[in-house]
Amino acid sequence: METVIGWEAKIERFLTTDMPRDEYVERCKQRAFDYLDRGDLKDAVASLVSNMNARPDCELPHYLATLGVLLLRGNDAPGLRTLIEGVR
């Protein structure tokens, strides 16, 4: 089982580096929207930040990650949606 997990991690890492940046960003945003659409603001923020920061050329500025946490604490789903939409 550990071998499978290792392969999945290698495949995921390959996809993050081989995919064009704009396509990768859209994929990250879609994952975050999927959580947000289910009402899971915590995982929407976590997904966006961790997935964007997985690639050096996509790292979110610290202030955007902080804003995501503030929107989460305020239970502000519309604000979080606006944040995710604005990520480039």
Side-chain angles (χ1 to χ4, degrees):
M1 187 74 166
E2 289 180 14
T3 304
V4 172
I5 292 171
W7 278 103
E8 289 174 355
K10 287 180 183 177
I11 290 170
E12 183 66 25
R13 179 160 294 163
F14 173 76
L15 290 175
T16 62
T17 58
D18 193 46
M19 187 181 295
R21 185 187 185 284
D22 58 338
E23 187 177 329
Y24 182 77
V25 170
E26 288 306 313
R27 181 177 171 192
C28 293
K29 290 167 61 172
Q30 188 55 55
R31 285 181 176 176
F33 283 135
D34 290 345
Y35 284 113
L36 189 61
D37 291 343
R38 291 192 299 257
D40 188 347
L41 278 65
K42 180 181 176 183
D43 282 339
V45 171
S47 173
L48 182 67
V49 172
S50 66
N51 287 324
M52 289 295 290
N53 290 347
R55 269 182 65 155
D57 64 336
C58 295
E59 286 185 41
L60 288 177
H62 182 70
Y63 70 90
L64 287 181
T66 302
L67 179 57
V69 172
L70 292 173
L71 293 167
L72 168 64
R73 287 184 181 170
N75 200 32
D76 187 351
L80 188 52
R81 181 168 300 279
T82 300
L83 173 67
I84 295 167
E85 288 170 351
V87 169
R88 300 281 176 242

